[in-house]
Amino acid sequence: MSKVTTELDFFGLEKKQTNNAPNKPKFKKLLDRRRSFREIQGAISKMDPEIIKSLLATGANPSETSTRSLSVPSTPKEDHQRILISPVHAPLTRPSTELVSGTVPMTIFYNGTVSVFQVSPNKAEDIMKVAMETSPKKDKSMEKHLSVIPPTTLRTKLFGQNIDGDLPIARRKSLQRFLEKRKERVVSTSPYFPTWA
Amino acid sequence: AYSNLCLLLLLPPFTVLDFNPLLDETNRILTMEDPDNKKLRSTPRNADDVISLVMPYVTDPKDRESASLVNRTWLRADSETRYHVTMALCYASAPDRLSARFPNLRSLKLKGKPRAAMFNLIPDNWGGFVTPWVNEIALSLRRIRSVHFRRMIVRDLDLDVLARARGDELEVLKLDKCLGFSTDGLLSVVKHCRKIKTLLMDDSSFLEKDGKWLHELALHNTSLEVLNFYMTEFTKLSPRDLETIARNCHRSLVSVKVGDVEVLELLGFFKAAVNLEEFCGGALDEDPETPDKYIKLTFPPKLSRLGLTYLGANEMPILFPFAAQLRKLDLIYAFLETNDHCKLIQKCPNLEVLETRNVIGDKGLEVLAKCCKKLKRLRIERGADEEEMDDERRGADEDGNEDLGYLVTQRGLTALAHGCKELEYMAVYVTDITNECLRTIGAYLKNLRDFRLVLLDQEERIVADLPLDKGVRSLLMGCEKLRRFAFYLRPGGLTDVGLGYIGQYSPNVRWMLLGYVGETDEGLVEFSREGCCPKLQKLEMRGCCFSERAIAAAVMKLPSLRYLWVQGYRASETGQDLRVMSRPYWNIELIQARRVPEADEMGEVSEVEHPAHILAYYSLAGQRTDCPPTVRVLD
């Protein structure tokens, strides 16, 4: 499992904050080993609400750190209160919070704050692109481990669903096996397949 | 006198109330003069005593259910003489309750995983362990002769316990789409159950260590009637053992289904199995350089049910000599094109059951409709997607007519409705469908008991005649005997009104699978109104837009519902809205959303998201205690 912390430093504030020596929020350590941003979302529900509460309190009352609340071009559908109420030990069912059709929750951890936005997959891609452009590329491995779901997969395979929220019709196991075997047999009898191999 | 009584009981299903005339008749018969020696019985026997003699003739489970409610004596009569039980879900009750209620059970069928498991949607370790049931059989059910496990987890130890407990008395063992065992378990069964008549492991997954179990069967068994290892991946079996079995059991062996065994290695087997009526499987390996490769192949004289895996156009003619006696044809795993289907089907006028893929096309269905007037069951599975078809099969002909007949659409189904009036079971994957076609089915196929339609979801295909509200209503109104119904569409396929029609016009339906039906929660409200789906026991839904709350509310209104499965719905954050349907004896479980690495048709592996499932069911056994991590029980 990757041990790289996944963080999106949207506005390069990390550079600016080096002088301020911020207290690295404890919960960010819990986010180690999260590879996909979907799993980030799931991480909220697994965190102790007390920790979130205290961190949000720190974030709301900036001491040394300059906390700017994130402005992302999406309407936040959930405010922080929502997150606190969410039971810790009951993982959110994943494709669940589709309050506006076609959009799914995107969770952003930023400098001690946690925000959740309802974002369409296209928007999400845009946001991540922007983030990757603006953040300094000093840690190349972070990009890999950020594990952005490739755009095509994002479009068609989000939650195994198409962008309209469809599930593809599932194939019967036995037929799946047959069709795979058929492919092998066709290949082996084709005139270009070396039969002496 | 007793035979009169028995005749009375063979009447169609009756309710508890109907037993009063039966009681009167019983009394009348008992006090009647005995015609043989013209003497009245000195002490009229009790009607209650009679019922215990009569009860075994009551075979329908629903009748038995009614009878057992009359009084304790009748309950006892039912309990002591119930010989077969099917549990549609093994978690509905507990093994000790089963043996207490039916101590003399001879035959048991249990189902475990949801049907979705056949489509790779359920985790392998979901549950459905046979262990507690096998242990109960060993402990208390000493009359069991027949065991059928479907979609369950079976270990070698379970097979060993069962085999030792029942020994030569076990006649039937069916491991149907099961997993978890190895050939060691099979060997144990064969070693201890010397008189086994039916051994089935169709579509099961297991570890193959060797071919000893088949060898053991060949050495000792002389009573085998059915041997089935269709759709399994055995590689270490000896065809000679099969031949020996055929020879030793030639009197009794009537049905054999095998995995991928080269057919040429079965020549001896076919010669020895002189009473064989059914054969499926094998593997034909067409070789363009030796077109006469299979010319030596002869089939047993009584063979009437057949399926040859990888059968191609070149080998097809080997069936022609006896095609007229074929009653069942399995072409699901054959390599036949549309025109090949046409050629073959027209030689089979006595066909009653056909299973194939949608490559049969409208053309093939038209031939079927013309030639096979006795057709009772038709299953058209989904083959490779259109994108893989040759360009010459798509496109248009000279007149610009795009419907070349290589796909299954309303054209073929309409022909079937007119031509095959005996149809009782029809399950089809279609590329296109119309309301008029559904109406025609409702008008002509009056014997339909089971109808399943799946509209394929290829993006390029525009289905012009959606929604199908009016068509499905006509179909349901016309097919009065329908007991099982599946309707799997796409968004826009059925409005809320249409879903309401399904609810209103299915008085006899016990099982439904609905995919992409309705538009809003209102549809479910219409579906579950007073008087709708009165007999619906099992409901499966996929890809629907309904909220948890609406689903739970509908469940509370459906009077006969005892099993619900849903995947693809609007979930609340924690599943809390499902508590709307909390009630005693009703278990609610969630299979959590998962990511599963899967290979697509191109062979590329990606992680596919599987949305959460809801599974809810009545149970007398309390909540499950054997869930894997992916299953969450809602308290």
Side-chain angles (χ1 to χ4, degrees):
Chain A
M1 280 248 207
S2 160
K3 290 212 175 354
V4 175
T5 310
T6 46
E7 288 179 70
L8 296 173
D9 190 358
F10 280 81
F11 299 101
L13 282 178
E14 210 150 344
K15 275 196 289 194
K16 294 185 191 169
Q17 280 172 8
T18 42
N19 301 333
N20 293 332
N23 295 322
K24 271 270 181 264
K26 285 182 208 140
F27 74 84
K28 278 195 178 163
K29 290 186 188 145
L30 291 173
L31 295 178
D32 289 347
R33 295 172 251 118
R34 301 295 178 199
R35 271 193 285 165
S36 79
F37 79 114
R38 288 203 69 261
E39 282 164 330
I40 293 172
Q41 179 199 332
I44 300 172
S45 61
K46 294 186 181 97
M47 292 188 295
D48 189 333
E50 293 306 311
I51 296 178
I52 303 174
K53 234 192 259 184
S54 62
L55 287 164
L56 289 172
T58 340
N61 301 313
S63 39
E64 316 99 55
T65 59
S66 57
T67 44
R68 218 195 301 168
S69 64
L70 206 58
S71 63
V72 177
S74 284
T75 334
K77 285 282 176 188
E78 293 176 296
D79 56 30
H80 297 151
Q81 260 61 45
R82 199 82 172 272
I83 298 161
L84 294 175
I85 290 165
S86 179
V88 168
H89 300 295
L92 295 169
T93 39
R94 296 306 172 70
S96 50
T97 41
E98 265 193 314
L99 298 166
V100 176
S101 77
T103 63
V104 286
M106 181 182 202
T107 310
I108 296 168
F109 295 95
Y110 172 64
N111 199 30
T113 63
V114 179
S115 311
V116 180
F117 303 95
Q118 284 294 124
V119 168
S120 74
N122 281 335
K123 269 268 151 68
E125 215 189 301
D126 293 341
I127 293 167
M128 286 190 285
K129 275 206 190 112
V130 168
M132 291 211 277
E133 279 159 25
T134 56
S135 72
K137 286 201 174 124
K138 51 188 171 188
D139 187 6
K140 287 232 162 79
S141 62
M142 187 177 90
E143 276 175 88
K144 270 187 259 161
H145 294 119
L146 214 58
S147 176
V148 175
I149 299 169
T152 44
T153 327
L154 200 72
R155 255 179 260 285
T156 56
K157 287 267 206 258
L158 201 65
F159 313 134
Q161 299 174 10
N162 297 332
I163 206 160
D164 333 326
D166 299 343
L167 290 170
I169 296 179
R171 256 196 213 286
R172 210 174 252 270
K173 238 192 277 195
S174 49
L175 269 145
Q176 179 95 346
R177 277 199 324 262
F178 165 74
L179 293 173
E180 279 160 15
K181 278 190 202 168
R182 182 169 78 168
K183 247 186 241 131
E184 289 166 25
R185 290 178 91 95
V186 166
V187 164
S188 66
T189 57
S190 82
Y192 302 108
F193 192 83
T195 44
W196 34 261
Chain B
Y2 292 137
S3 59
N4 288 345
L5 217 52
C6 299
L7 276 170
L8 267 172
L9 291 165
L10 291 172
L11 293 171
F14 47 84
T15 63
V16 174
L17 296 170
D18 295 346
F19 270 91
N20 287 328
L22 177 57
L23 281 172
D24 293 337
E25 182 65 27
T26 314
N27 277 319
R28 190 184 68 77
I29 291 167
L30 286 170
T31 51
M32 226 162 60
E33 281 195 24
D34 187 349
D36 284 343
N37 48 23
K38 293 186 171 32
K39 231 182 1 180
L40 273 175
R41 291 184 195 281
S42 45
T43 44
R45 289 230 295 265
N46 213 315
D48 286 347
D49 294 337
V50 174
I51 203 66
S52 64
L53 292 164
V54 159
M55 192 64 82
Y57 296 94
V58 180
T59 49
D60 182 81
K62 282 289 172 199
D63 292 342
R64 281 294 191 118
E65 195 186 314
S66 300
S68 65
L69 294 172
V70 170
N71 60 28
R72 284 202 198 283
T73 310
W74 287 45
L75 172 67
R76 204 178 320 125
D78 168 47
S79 294
E80 287 167 7
T81 58
R82 191 84 75 104
Y83 298 134
H84 173 79
V85 162
T86 298
M87 285 179 69
L89 175 63
C90 59
Y91 291 111
S93 186
D96 55 352
R97 288 189 78 109
L98 178 73
S99 59
R101 178 80 169 79
F102 304 116
N104 299 321
L105 216 53
R106 292 183 192 165
S107 162
L108 179 62
K109 177 173 176 180
L110 296 179
K111 299 191 202 175
K113 294 174 183 154
R115 285 182 67 255
M118 299 187 293
F119 299 85
N120 267 323
L121 298 174
I122 306 287
D124 272 351
N125 63 353
W126 173 86
F129 302 96
V130 302
T131 312
W133 299 97
V134 153
N135 291 340
E136 190 66 27
I137 288 172
L139 189 67
S140 327
L141 291 168
R142 302 310 194 95
R143 305 266 168 91
I144 287 274
R145 298 186 204 152
S146 166
V147 172
H148 183 166
F149 296 131
R150 186 167 163 90
R151 295 193 294 268
M152 296 187 76
I153 297 176
V154 181
R155 306 164 310 150
D156 284 346
L157 183 59
D158 301 320
L159 291 173
D160 195 54
V161 166
L162 180 65
R164 284 176 199 277
R166 300 309 306 130
D168 284 352
E169 286 171 43
L170 191 70
E171 293 176 1
V172 174
L173 177 62
K174 296 184 182 175
L175 305 175
D176 178 7
K177 298 177 168 44
C178 293
L179 57 83
F181 56 99
S182 81
T183 44
D184 287 349
L186 295 175
L187 182 60
S188 179
V189 169
V190 170
K191 270 209 168 110
H192 293 102
C193 310
R194 301 297 188 103
K195 302 240 166 71
I196 199 142
K197 293 186 188 169
T198 293
L199 184 59
L200 180 151
M201 49 210 98
D202 192 317
D203 206 6
S204 289
S205 309
F206 46 80
L207 178 65
E208 184 186 29
K209 295 185 181 176
D210 51 51
K212 288 188 190 153
W213 68 274
L214 192 69
H215 189 67
E216 186 70 27
L217 256 183
L219 287 179
H220 296 116
N221 192 295
T222 53
S223 49
L224 206 61
E225 296 170 7
V226 174
L227 178 62
N228 179 329
F229 49 95
Y230 201 29
M231 295 285 107
T232 58
E233 305 295 328
F234 284 115
T235 56
K236 302 183 179 168
L237 300 180
S238 162
R240 203 166 309 135
D241 284 335
L242 265 176
E243 189 181 331
T244 311
I245 291 170
R247 217 175 302 122
N248 295 343
C249 307
H250 69 269
R251 266 179 258 277
S252 49
L253 197 65
V254 291
S255 169
V256 170
K257 297 193 186 184
V258 302
D260 282 4
V261 181
E262 167 54 60
V263 166
L264 285 178
E265 300 195 65
L266 296 173
L267 293 183
F269 162 78
F270 282 128
K271 286 212 164 64
V274 292
N275 285 309
L276 201 70
E277 295 168 14
E278 174 169 47
F279 178 81
C280 281
L284 284 167
D285 196 7
E286 188 177 298
D287 181 7
E289 307 205 357
T290 43
D292 286 346
K293 187 172 175 185
Y294 291 98
I295 204 115
K296 296 175 277 173
L297 188 56
T298 58
F299 290 103
K302 295 192 200 165
L303 199 68
S304 62
R305 296 170 342 250
L306 180 64
L308 285 173
T309 308
Y310 314 133
L311 178 72
N314 199 50
E315 275 69 44
M316 205 172 63
I318 58 179
L319 306 188
F320 290 175
F322 60 100
Q325 75 185 43
L326 285 177
R327 292 189 356 255
K328 177 174 174 185
L329 202 47
D330 178 354
L331 301 176
I332 294 191
Y333 309 109
F335 288 164
L336 298 180
E337 300 288 332
T338 309
N339 291 329
D340 303 325
H341 277 83
C342 297
K343 277 195 211 124
L344 178 56
I345 288 169
Q346 72 188 30
K347 298 204 185 287
C348 305
N350 291 306
L351 207 58
E352 292 171 21
V353 179
L354 177 65
E355 297 179 332
T356 186
R357 302 188 314 279
N358 55 357
V359 66
I360 188 177
D362 286 339
K363 276 174 85 170
L365 292 179
E366 283 166 350
V367 171
L368 194 61
K370 202 166 93 174
C371 302
C372 304
K373 298 300 180 187
K374 299 186 191 174
L375 198 70
K376 288 210 173 73
R377 296 176 65 93
L378 174 63
R379 182 172 151 215
I380 300 179
E381 275 285 358
R382 174 190 180 194
D385 288 336
E386 237 178 275
E387 295 83 71
E388 294 182 22
M389 270 167 50
D390 296 332
D391 284 328
E392 61 190 54
R393 289 215 275 140
R394 310 167 77 189
D397 63 14
E398 311 86 47
D399 303 323
N401 179 16
E402 277 197 4
D403 183 5
L404 298 176
Y406 299 118
L407 303 167
V408 175
T409 71
Q410 60 273 8
R411 177 181 139 190
L413 295 192
T414 304
L416 274 176
H418 287 293
C420 301
K421 303 243 173 57
E422 304 295 311
L423 272 169
E424 294 172 4
Y425 171 102
M426 189 153 106
V428 283
Y429 281 84
V430 298
T431 311
D432 197 355
I433 190 70
T434 58
N435 281 285
E436 182 57 31
C437 173
L438 295 178
R439 200 197 62 78
T440 311
I441 291 174
Y444 290 96
L445 296 180
K446 294 298 186 187
N447 288 315
L448 222 47
R449 283 150 176 75
D450 191 333
F451 178 75
R452 309 182 196 196
L453 182 101
V454 180
L455 180 58
L456 286 171
D457 59 356
Q458 290 130 341
E459 292 138 29
E460 298 155 22
R461 281 276 148 189
I462 299 167
V463 176
D465 202 25
L466 298 181
L468 296 171
D469 296 9
K470 298 227 161 64
V472 78
R473 180 175 62 174
S474 302
L475 187 147
L476 291 171
M477 285 173 73
C479 299
E480 292 169 334
K481 296 187 193 169
L482 208 64
R483 290 171 69 123
R484 308 181 117 235
F485 179 65
F487 212 48
Y488 201 111
L489 306 175
R490 58 174 69 164
L494 199 73
T495 68
D496 287 341
V497 171
L499 186 51
Y501 290 156
I502 295 184
Q504 282 166 30
Y505 296 106
S506 350
N508 291 313
V509 175
R510 272 111 168 119
W511 168 79
M512 270 197 212
L513 165 62
L514 301 174
Y516 292 106
V517 294
E519 308 156 295
T520 70
D521 285 348
E522 193 54 35
L524 263 189
V525 173
E526 292 300 313
F527 176 75
S528 56
R529 256 187 216 296
E530 180 91 28
C532 288
C533 301
K535 297 205 183 145
L536 189 64
Q537 296 175 341
K538 182 169 173 178
L539 177 62
E540 299 178 17
M541 294 198 289
R542 194 161 188 261
C544 296
C545 53
F546 311 125
S547 66
E548 259 174 32
R549 194 175 291 271
I551 294 170
V555 163
M556 294 304 278
K557 298 185 67 196
L558 293 166
S560 304
L561 197 72
R562 61 185 194 191
Y563 182 110
L564 171 78
W565 176 83
V566 185
Q567 188 193 28
Y569 59 100
R570 284 192 292 120
S572 64
E573 286 208 354
T574 52
Q576 65 217 16
D577 284 354
L578 289 175
R579 293 185 199 280
V580 166
M581 61 174 177
S582 288
R583 54 191 174 179
Y585 303 110
W586 185 247
N587 287 357
I588 306 171
E589 296 168 11
L590 289 170
I591 302 177
Q592 323 269 43
R594 306 170 289 144
R595 305 180 97 205
V596 179
E598 275 172 30
D600 66 9
E601 289 183 353
M602 254 50 89
E604 279 172 31
V605 178
S606 57
E607 281 212 319
V608 178
E609 298 282 350
H610 282 248
H613 313 226
I614 303 169
L615 180 67
Y617 55 91
Y618 273 125
S619 174
L620 297 174
Q623 289 180 339
R624 275 183 69 180
T625 50
D626 61 356
C627 297
T630 43
V631 176
R632 189 179 123 221
V633 169
L634 224 66
D635 316 295

